[in-house]
Amino acid sequence: MTTNSIIYFVTAATFMLCALVLAVQQRWVLVSAPNNWAEDINSVVSVVGFMAIAAITLTLHHARAARHHRMEASTDALTGLLNRRGLSEEFDARSPAASFTIIMFDLDRFKLINDNMGHAHGDEVLKRFADTLRTHIRATDRGARLGGEEFCAVLAGRELHEAAQVAERIRLAFQELALNADPAGKTATVSAGIAIAGKDEPFSSVLSRADAALYKAKQAGRNQVHIAPFRLVA
């Protein structure tokens, strides 16, 4: 866009130059096309400039379309969070030395919600949880829907006790929201598993440990937060 603006400015300047030459020559009335060095410069700059503007505009269009397609491919259409592919693309290539904590979430007994109240209601429950997740994480954190009723939050630079507090706030907020939306209680609660990255531990390993902690939370009765053991350094 900056390059386009410069080209427009230079082209406009050549038109001003043509007007200045005509003013110096005192040619106030034109009976034929002017023929002077300023007109020659203007002709060349106009042709080259407009061709360059067309090429840059086309390139910008293709770049925006490609960026849009990449966003669609990495974003969950229902909730607007990252999907599993987007999460992997963003974090798998990061340095294992980076400090982060992963919270895995799973909506409890969600299949019963779909079976008893329909998939449309189930989708609304998923969107409500996605909104709850977004509300309780920072702009530097990332939220994702990994598929079905499974969600994930990646917290940058958080201590384990801070991540546990975040997970608990999300659990309680979603429980309150769900009860307000459905006083009969026929809605999902959420279980969570937390794992903090060990030294030089890859993202996929931390994700797997958080998932194992989530499974333990489900086994222990659901609607609770479970913390994975620290990874032992070899």
Side-chain angles (χ1 to χ4, degrees):
M1 295 299 292
T2 301
T3 304
N4 264 358
S5 299
I6 292 172
I7 294 172
Y8 275 116
F9 176 80
V10 172
T11 304
T14 63
F15 279 99
M16 293 296 295
L17 182 62
C18 291
L20 180 61
V21 170
L22 292 176
V24 171
Q25 294 176 348
Q26 296 186 356
R27 296 187 61 184
W28 311 118
V29 178
L30 298 176
V31 294
S32 62
N35 184 14
N36 54 57
W37 60 270
E39 293 293 336
D40 293 338
I41 292 175
N42 175 257
S43 298
V44 173
V45 171
S46 296
V47 171
V48 173
F50 289 136
M51 288 179 63
I53 288 169
I56 292 171
T57 302
L58 184 62
T59 301
L60 284 173
H61 173 75
H62 285 308
R64 286 168 179 161
R67 185 166 60 249
H68 177 71
H69 291 318
R70 284 196 301 271
M71 288 183 62
E72 282 190 331
S74 62
T75 303
D76 176 59
L78 179 67
T79 63
L81 298 173
L82 287 175
N83 57 22
R84 186 178 290 274
R85 174 180 174 177
L87 189 73
S88 296
E89 288 178 349
E90 181 165 343
F91 290 99
D92 280 350
R94 288 196 180 186
S95 169
S99 174
F100 64 92
T101 305
I102 294 179
I103 310 175
M104 290 287 290
F105 296 96
D106 188 89
L107 304 191
D108 301 322
R109 300 184 178 89
F110 183 73
K111 186 177 183 301
L112 293 177
I113 300 295
N114 276 337
D115 291 345
N116 296 334
M117 307 186 72
H119 288 276
H121 182 83
D123 287 348
E124 288 302 316
V125 172
L126 293 172
K127 288 190 282 188
R128 284 201 295 268
F129 180 76
D131 290 340
T132 303
L133 179 61
R134 265 188 292 260
T135 300
H136 289 84
I137 60 177
R138 302 171 302 185
T140 53
D141 302 328
R142 299 309 302 268
R145 181 189 176 201
L146 303 185
E149 65 272 23
E150 191 174 48
F151 293 80
C152 169
V154 182
L155 313 181
R158 297 264 193 149
E159 296 295 333
L160 194 57
H161 72 278
E162 294 177 309
Q165 291 172 354
V166 172
E168 185 65 12
R169 284 198 296 268
I170 291 172
R171 185 189 70 81
L172 292 174
F174 180 65
Q175 179 176 270
E176 181 179 357
L177 178 66
L179 288 175
N180 288 338
D182 182 13
K186 297 178 180 179
T187 189
T189 53
V190 65
S191 300
I194 306 174
I196 189 168
K199 183 179 179 182
D200 297 330
E201 184 178 8
F203 180 80
S204 58
S205 173
V206 187
L207 190 68
S208 178
R209 292 197 298 112
D211 194 46
L214 169 62
Y215 182 72
K216 289 185 178 181
K218 303 283 277 189
Q219 281 187 317
R222 301 182 178 88
N223 195 24
Q224 58 187 274
V225 177
H226 193 89
I227 299 174
F230 283 101
R231 177 178 181 263
L232 297 178
V233 180

